[in-house]
Amino acid sequence: MSNSHGYMKALKCRECGREYPLSATHVCEFDFGPLEVAYDYERIRAVFDRKSIESRPQTMWRYRELLPLAEEPTVGRQVGYTPLVKADRLAKRLGIRELWVKNDAVNYPTLSFKDRVVSVALSRSVELGFKTVACASTGNLANSVAANAAAAGLEAFVFIPHDLENGKVVNSLVYGAHVVGIRGHYDEVNRLCAEIAGKYPWAFVNVNMRPYYAEGSKSMGFEIQEQLGWRIPEHTVVCMASGSLLTKIHKSYQEFSKLGLVPESKWKIHGAQASGCSPITTAQKAGLDFFKPVKPNTIAKSLAIGTPADGFYALKVMKETGGHGEDVTDDEIREGIKLLAECEGIFAETAGGVTVGVARKLIQQEKIPRDSSAVLCITGNGLKTLDAVSNHVGATREIRPSLREFEALLAGSNHPQTVNA
Ligand SMILES: *Cc1c(COP(=O)(O)O)cnc(C)c1O
Ligand SMILES: [Zn+2]
């Protein structure tokens, strides 16, 4: 490193461009605009090329010059580089020429894309000297903060809505984190956390550490481009809670483009939400630049943010790239989960059902043309939201341990007959 901030230059207001020191802060004092990390792209260009990236370990840190740390990462060093799966059977079912699934349902260590943002936020928190980390979460973030904090020996407070899926709650408690259930929606959890962050010297990954945290999402987009053979996909479908992931995948395509790592091309980014919480896609469909807050009511709890912090910027990305927004009902979410499972052997959580369901709709509406290529971002694992589908996947059929009973069962079903018959 040739200076004390690595390749970062400053924090910069997205609205007025004013610059701030690289500390734990997230809003502009003048216009309350969100702060974003600015990089020294000239210096990055000199050291960052396909060959050097390909020679590095297969984790998200192979793109470390474009991630906001001063030094080498200390938390979550093994995160990322999840499979990009060519989904031919699903492509056929949805009626599109070429389809890929970016599978963050198997991200390390807590099976969601949140491990990307948390490893960045906690590594940066350690650099800034914090001993206690915290978050406001719809579930997966809590899991990832709890696990990564445990591994790093940091104390963790995670704040969640009181009515989250049991899988998500247990997956936070097991790591020994302080888990606080708030009787209210995520937006109320978030408001409380902003107050606590103002009073306690803690690193709230998605409050005062948000500029660093959010950059971690870019790694999902960097990997997509490298795994596609160094190109940008024509269409990318991303599910949205705050809308941050969608904006950062767009930024990852811009950065690789600007650095000459991928050929110049046009891309469209499409946003997916659940109908029970669709402030962003509802605004997109109405052609508006701003959203109206809603009260969430959906099985896709990881996406249940009624006042999305990056909703405005997500709308801008969809508009600028020519992408679309669409939403799906709880039943369509379950169908999406089953489609992905039955076609590709991938069990996604409800958010993945949203992505698949919306992709299906956009292809039906020809907003994603049938003769094109698309990437679906699968962001979380189905084992954490079993309740959402457990009554919709059929049941086991029980028999006594007898060949006769098995053959009776087989005769009564339309399964293939015996192998040597
Ligand atoms: C948090 C989350 C998202 C969306 O994140 P945003 O960046 O806030 O839009 C998507 N999928 C899953 C599974 C998540 O946990
Ligand atoms: Zn500003």
Side-chain angles (χ1 to χ4, degrees):
M1 295 295 135
S2 60
N3 73 35
S4 60
H5 298 307
Y7 295 91
M8 295 182 282
K9 284 206 298 200
L11 294 180
K12 198 169 171 181
C13 173
R14 291 189 69 161
E15 292 304 319
C16 70
R18 274 192 181 81
E19 295 198 350
Y20 292 82
L22 288 155
S23 60
T25 177
H26 67 117
V27 279
C28 177
E29 289 163 16
F30 292 88
D31 51 22
F32 302 104
L35 303 185
E36 185 175 39
V37 177
Y39 296 88
D40 187 344
Y41 289 112
E42 284 319 304
R43 278 180 52 232
I44 292 173
R45 192 189 303 273
V47 295
F48 196 60
D49 56 30
R50 288 185 190 179
K51 252 184 124 157
S52 66
I53 297 166
E54 284 166 351
S55 71
R56 296 174 179 179
Q58 293 194 336
T59 73
M60 63 181 273
W61 297 106
R62 66 211 256 114
Y63 316 105
R64 67 162 313 315
E65 285 85 348
L66 292 170
L67 296 171
L69 295 187
E71 306 288 341
E72 294 299 315
T74 54
V75 184
R77 280 177 304 212
Q78 304 84 352
V79 175
Y81 225 76
T82 56
L84 181 73
V85 178
K86 184 133 187 293
D88 291 340
R89 280 167 47 79
L90 184 60
K92 211 165 161 195
R93 281 289 288 275
L94 299 188
I96 185 168
R97 179 172 56 79
E98 189 179 280
L99 196 64
W100 301 82
V101 169
K102 178 60 172 166
N103 187 9
D104 263 20
V106 292
N107 207 0
Y108 178 86
T110 65
L111 308 179
S112 89
F113 101 91
K114 292 297 198 303
D115 291 322
R116 300 177 182 278
V117 284
V118 168
S119 58
V120 171
L122 295 199
S123 290
R124 184 65 184 150
S125 301
V126 170
E127 285 184 350
L128 293 176
F130 287 100
K131 302 279 183 279
T132 302
V133 296
C135 68
S137 174
T138 56
N140 284 314
L141 183 59
N143 297 170
S144 188
V145 166
N148 282 292
L154 296 161
E155 184 155 24
F157 278 84
V158 307
F159 298 83
I160 54 177
H162 70 109
D163 60 349
L164 278 194
E165 302 95 337
N166 194 40
K168 299 256 167 85
V169 176
V170 174
N171 266 296
S172 296
L173 289 168
V174 73
Y175 305 107
H178 305 277
V179 180
V180 186
I182 308 295
R183 290 182 211 109
H185 287 302
Y186 172 82
D187 301 284
E188 295 165 283
V189 178
N190 196 40
R191 207 184 49 226
L192 172 65
C193 286
E195 271 183 68
I196 298 171
K199 194 160 175 194
Y200 292 82
W202 296 351
F204 266 89
V205 302
N206 55 342
V207 184
N208 51 350
M209 295 300 289
R210 193 170 178 87
Y212 309 100
Y213 157 94
E215 288 287 288
S217 290
K218 292 190 307 189
S219 65
M220 195 167 179
F222 295 148
E223 290 173 17
I224 289 170
Q225 295 171 86
E226 182 182 353
Q227 289 169 315
L228 276 177
W230 299 105
R231 64 185 170 93
I232 298 169
E234 286 176 87
H235 297 273
T236 310
V237 184
V238 189
C239 55
M240 301 184 288
S242 73
S244 175
L245 174 63
L246 180 139
T247 65
K248 294 295 178 174
I249 285 183
H250 177 61
K251 187 175 179 189
S252 81
Y253 295 171
Q254 288 177 316
E255 286 183 333
F256 269 19
S257 227
K258 177 156 62 181
L259 291 168
L261 291 164
V262 294
E264 296 236 343
S265 68
K266 283 210 184 307
W267 66 83
K268 293 189 180 190
I269 305 207
H270 308 280
Q273 292 202 294
S275 303
C277 183
S278 60
I280 310 177
T281 58
T282 299
Q284 196 283 331
K285 289 198 277 188
L288 301 173
D289 295 333
F290 53 90
F291 64 85
K292 211 173 112 223
V294 302
K295 267 214 159 59
N297 180 16
T298 166
I299 58 167
K301 295 186 181 182
S302 58
L303 303 180
I305 298 184
T307 310
D310 291 282
F312 172 76
Y313 297 102
L315 284 165
K316 217 162 134 177
V317 167
M318 285 187 265
K319 191 169 182 177
E320 277 174 21
T321 65
H324 295 275
E326 191 51 89
D327 52 80
V328 283
T329 63
D330 286 355
D331 281 339
E332 290 170 323
I333 292 169
R334 292 190 192 96
E335 283 167 30
I337 291 174
K338 287 194 71 182
L339 255 180
L340 182 62
E342 291 176 4
C343 291
E344 301 300 334
I346 294 169
F347 186 16
E349 72 148 82
T350 45
V354 169
T355 304
V356 174
V358 163
R360 178 160 82 164
K361 273 193 174 170
L362 292 176
I363 293 166
Q364 272 163 3
Q365 298 163 2
E366 313 257 342
K367 287 175 176 162
I368 298 179
R370 295 185 181 278
D371 184 34
S372 68
S373 170
V375 172
L376 308 186
C377 292
I378 298 303
T379 47
N381 194 298
L383 292 172
K384 293 195 205 178
T385 60
L386 285 177
D387 287 351
V389 288
S390 57
N391 292 327
H392 300 80
V393 288
T396 49
R397 289 178 298 167
E398 279 184 27
I399 54 171
R400 272 189 287 264
S402 115
L403 183 60
R404 200 175 48 78
E405 287 205 17
F406 172 66
E407 288 182 331
L409 176 148
L410 205 54
S413 71
N414 51 10
H415 282 294
Q417 288 301 312
T418 54
V419 266
N420 56 357

